[in-house]
């Protein structure tokens, strides 16, 4: 685990985009990590919590590899 990347205890669900967002801090910068889902808000948040460490590991690698999308976000695939 890279100690310079820290995940904050915050997760959000956007009803309009059906996107789950979670956040990391690296070098003082807040980085939004996200994925799209077809689940309801409640199911999506429960699913995220059950796979939180897997999502964080995937996002950490993407941050280290600077795989930001055009919006400046780290976008990952939903884990099934």
């Amino acid at each position: 685990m890279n100690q310079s990347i820290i995940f904050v205890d915050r997760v959000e669900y956007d009803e309009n985009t059906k996107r789950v967002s979670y956040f990391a801090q690296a070098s003082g910068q807040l980085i939004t990590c996200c994925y799209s889902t077809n689940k309801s808000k409640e199911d999506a948040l429960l699913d995220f919590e059950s796979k939180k460490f897997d999502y964080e590991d995937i996002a950490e690698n993407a941050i280290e590899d600077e795989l930001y999308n055009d919006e400046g976000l780290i976008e990952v695939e939903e884990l099934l």
Side-chain angles (χ1 to χ4, degrees), residues 21-65:
S21 298
Y22 55 108
F23 304 88
Q25 218 171 4
S27 302
Q29 178 183 10
L30 187 63
I31 300 166
T32 302
C33 308
C34 61
Y35 62 91
S36 296
T37 185
N38 290 322
K39 294 181 173 86
S40 68
K41 178 179 181 177
E42 182 179 308
D43 289 343
L45 295 176
L46 286 171
D47 186 64
F48 174 81
E49 285 302 320
S50 72
K51 299 172 184 164
K52 179 179 180 175
F53 297 113
D54 294 325
Y55 279 115
E56 289 177 355
D57 285 342
I58 293 166
E60 181 177 354
N61 289 329
I63 292 167
E64 289 172 348
D65 293 340

Side-chain angles (χ1 to χ4, degrees), residues 12 15-16 21 25 37 44 49 52 62 66 71-72 76 79:
E12 298 175 358
E15 292 281 349
N16 296 323
S21 298
Q25 218 171 4
T37 185
E49 285 302 320
K52 179 179 180 175
E66 299 182 10
E71 299 174 58
V76 302
L79 299 175

